[in-house]
Amino acid sequence: MKDIAIGIDIGGTAVKIGLVGKSGLPAEKWSFPTRTEENGRHIIDDISDSINKKISELKDREYNILGAGVGLPGFVDEDGTAHGSVNLGWTEPFNIEEVLSQKLRGLPVRACNDANAAALAEAWMGSARGYKSMMMVTLGTGIGGGIVTGGQILAGAHSCAGEIGHVCVNRDETAPCSCGRAGCLEQYASAPGLRRLIKEGLNTDMGLEEFWEKVRGGDEACTGIAKRFGSYLGYALSMAAMTVDPEIFVIGGGMSHAGQVILPFIREGYEDSVLPVCQNTPIVLAAMGNDAGIIGAAALALGNVRCTDTKI
Ligand SMILES: [Zn+2]
């Protein structure tokens, strides 16, 4: 019998599910659209129906399903309570681990925030593989973050550990952040945040792809904006270094698709602010692609990212 876990990645547009062995590679994966209508009330049933169908198809295969892990865009407490999700239409808190476990005939279910799942995937199979501690920062529409230490997520007392997007990097800001405060990193280093810096600095609605292309080409004005972006993000990373001191920082999310061009700016901002002893901490791009959510969620179900290398 091969031990496997089910990894579930609930996104705002699609639910991705995979069967993942202890080697960390998905043996099988599938996906379907996320039905966010009616406050996302069908999502959990769609997931359990799909998995129960798959399990019945697998009954002749030699799999021992150890449990299921779920990553979702929203806060999840250590006891499994999901505190709503704007992207999924969920407005009321509920214990997703209990509800899903019941619908999966008692299969153990663990849930976490999707940035934490991405962090687990990078720690297990990606850029932070082999490191004892890491911090992941996902730069997208918002900024998420996750800390993995000793193969486990550091969730914190309020599931807030690693939420670097809402670290204040500018006390003089007056425009409000999505969290209701002002001056958060997310207001400068997320995709909308960087677009805002470009608009304010260059008075143009230039897309981010074009922007990074110009930075690559040495455009002075764009390079100046990239430096501002890097100084905010590097400053926030330096504060993380002073509190959790990870062995490596991994930068992921849609913005990281711009590639290596973003790293020197982040590095410069980081080195400007951090204590010299932490100056050489690597800052690298995420390595996991579309399967990161599935793999990270499966790692959560398996309990530790340092699994054996049993081939599936
Ligand atoms: Zn904020």
Side-chain angles (χ1 to χ4, degrees), residues 2-4 19-27 63 309-312:
K2 288 161 185 163
D3 288 341
I4 58 162
L19 306 179
V20 181
K22 288 189 169 180
S23 67
L25 298 171
Y63 287 143
D309 280 326
T310 314
K311 291 275 181 291
I312 186 159

Side-chain angles (χ1 to χ4, degrees), residues 182-194:
C184 295
L185 177 65
E186 190 167 289
Q187 291 180 275
Y188 312 98
S190 62
L194 178 55

Side-chain angles (χ1 to χ4, degrees), residues 95-115:
N95 192 308
I96 186 170
E97 292 181 357
E98 280 175 19
V99 172
L100 199 51
S101 176
Q102 206 171 21
K103 290 176 187 286
L104 295 175
R105 298 164 194 152
L107 193 72
V109 176
R110 295 283 317 279
C112 71
N113 170 268
D114 53 4

Side-chain angles (χ1 to χ4, degrees), residues 165-166 177-179 181 184:
H166 299 286
C177 175
S178 63
C179 71
R181 299 173 312 135
C184 295

Side-chain angles (χ1 to χ4, degrees), residues 130-307:
Y131 289 85
K132 286 195 275 303
S133 61
M134 65 86 79
M135 178 161 187
M136 169 103 195
V137 180
T138 55
L139 306 175
T141 310
I143 294 184
I147 298 162
V148 177
T149 175
Q152 309 268 357
I153 287 177
L154 177 69
H158 310 92
S159 306
C160 263
E163 282 297 329
I164 196 168
H166 299 286
V167 160
C168 183
V169 295
N170 179 9
R171 287 220 163 268
D172 298 328
E173 181 63 74
T174 50
C177 175
S178 63
C179 71
R181 299 173 312 135
C184 295
L185 177 65
E186 190 167 289
Q187 291 180 275
Y188 312 98
S190 62
L194 178 55
R195 274 198 290 268
R196 181 178 150 219
L197 291 184
I198 296 168
K199 177 81 179 169
E200 281 176 6
L202 308 176
N203 198 21
T204 145
D205 291 316
M206 188 188 299
L208 296 185
E209 213 169 306
E210 185 187 351
F211 168 76
W212 288 115
E213 204 46 58
K214 282 187 185 277
V215 173
R216 252 187 226 104
D219 182 286
E220 224 170 279
C222 289
T223 301
I225 303 289
K227 280 189 178 183
R228 269 194 80 195
F229 156 84
S231 75
Y232 286 125
L233 182 50
Y235 173 69
L237 292 186
S238 78
M239 287 198 277
M242 299 296 85
T243 46
V244 289
D245 191 11
E247 276 189 352
I248 186 169
F249 288 103
V250 178
I251 310 293
M255 288 260 283
S256 69
H257 297 163
Q260 298 285 337
V261 64
I262 70 172
L263 293 180
F265 299 102
I266 304 172
R267 173 107 244 140
E268 192 182 327
Y270 176 74
E271 289 185 8
D272 279 350
S273 330
V274 81
L275 278 180
V277 69
C278 295
Q279 221 157 30
N280 295 324
T281 302
I283 302 172
V284 302
L285 295 176
M288 306 294 292
N290 285 335
D291 293 340
I294 293 174
I295 292 170
L300 187 70
L302 292 167
N304 194 311
V305 298
R306 291 216 183 80
C307 299

